[in-house]
Amino acid sequence: MLSIRKCGHKELERYYQLFEMDFDSREMLPKLSVHKALTNGSVELLAVVDEETKMDLAFALVATKSLYGYVLLKYLSVMPWCREQGIGIESMRLVNKRYAGRQGIIAELTEYPEDEPQRRRKLQRFLARFGYVEAESDYRIGGGDALVMIKPIRGSAELEPVLHRVIADFYSRFLSPFAMNRLVDIRPVKKTAE
C-alpha cells in the first residue's frame, strides 16, 4: 500500500537531482528558490512511500499558495528503478486525493524543439486519465511552449481569461523578479476571431 507524506529541506537536497534527470534544465526552478518556497509554505514537496518497505518511490513538487484556490503540480518523478510498475498512476491518485478540497489542480507540460515528438502527447494522455483537460495558454517556460492541463475539482477548467494571472501568482510567491523574467514568459491569451 502506498501513502503520501510531506517532506522538507533534507529530502529536497537528496532528491532534487531526480527532478533534474526528468525535466529539462530550462524549466527547472532554482533549488534555492524551492528551499525558500518550502520555508514560506508556497510549495509542498511530497514523497510517495511504500508502507511495507518504507521506501520513497516517487516525489512531487506542488505550488500550493494561490489567490485563486488552485494548486500547480510543478514536478512529478518516479524513482528510476520503480518505473513501469504503475507507481506514477498511484502517485497521481494520491496527489489528486490530497488536493481534493481545492478548486482544481493545474499541470504544465513544456515542449522544446529537440524533444521527442510523442513525449508531450503521452503526458497529455496520462493526465487526461485523471480528468485533466487542456486549457488554452500562451506562455513559455525556459523558452519552451507550455501546455496547461487543469483538473477541475470545485472550480472550473475555464481559466483561460485569467490563466496568465493564476500562473504569475504561483511563480511570484517564490521566484525573484529576475528569476521570474528569466524562467517564465507570460502573456494574456489572445482569442482568435473565428
Side-chain angles (χ1 to χ4, degrees):
M1 180 173 183
L2 302 182
S3 65
I4 199 163
R5 71 177 170 81
K6 194 172 169 180
C7 299
H9 299 279
K10 191 166 102 176
E11 288 91 354
L12 177 62
E13 280 300 317
R14 233 181 340 177
Y15 294 117
Y16 185 82
Q17 292 174 352
L18 181 62
F19 294 139
E20 289 179 313
M21 286 180 357
D22 287 347
F23 296 91
D24 192 288
S25 62
R26 293 169 285 191
E27 68 181 307
M28 287 299 299
L29 296 172
K31 188 170 25 170
L32 188 59
S33 295
V34 179
H35 276 295
K36 175 185 170 188
L38 283 172
T39 301
N40 70 26
S42 296
V43 300
E44 289 185 337
L45 178 63
L46 305 171
V48 175
V49 181
D50 181 330
E51 287 298 315
E52 189 176 309
T53 64
K54 303 296 182 208
M55 284 184 58
D56 294 340
L57 305 177
F59 286 88
L61 185 70
V62 182
T64 56
K65 278 197 178 173
S66 163
L67 296 173
Y68 303 92
Y70 289 80
V71 297
L72 173 66
L73 176 59
K74 185 64 184 162
Y75 307 124
L76 175 66
S77 291
V78 175
M79 293 295 199
W81 53 87
C82 300
R83 294 183 180 164
E84 305 299 323
Q85 298 176 32
I87 302 298
I89 292 168
E90 289 304 315
S91 298
M92 278 301 296
R93 286 185 182 134
L94 290 168
V95 167
N96 290 339
K97 184 177 177 181
R98 181 174 182 86
Y99 299 109
R102 297 299 188 107
Q103 292 291 95
I105 303 170
I106 299 170
E108 299 168 320
L109 305 176
T110 52
E111 185 171 55
Y112 299 96
E114 66 279 0
D115 283 348
E116 175 189 324
Q118 298 300 317
R119 179 185 160 272
R120 192 158 89 170
R121 263 190 235 128
K122 186 175 164 183
L123 290 170
Q124 279 177 271
R125 284 193 305 269
F126 177 76
L127 290 171
R129 288 176 70 174
F130 298 97
Y132 287 75
V133 294
E134 188 175 334
E136 189 175 341
S137 61
D138 185 19
Y139 71 97
R140 299 167 69 73
I141 297 177
D145 291 328
L147 170 72
V148 174
M149 295 192 73
I150 301 170
K151 177 181 177 57
I153 298 172
R154 298 158 129 199
S156 168
E158 300 295 321
L159 285 177
E160 286 92 353
V162 295
L163 187 60
H164 62 286
R165 288 196 303 254
V166 173
I167 297 300
D169 184 46
F170 281 121
Y171 285 110
S172 67
R173 293 179 184 273
F174 53 87
L175 290 177
S176 69
F178 172 77
M180 180 93 166
N181 286 336
R182 187 180 56 76
L183 182 69
V184 187
D185 179 15
I186 301 174
R187 298 171 302 280
V189 173
K190 293 173 183 64
K191 296 284 185 182
T192 55
E194 294 182 30

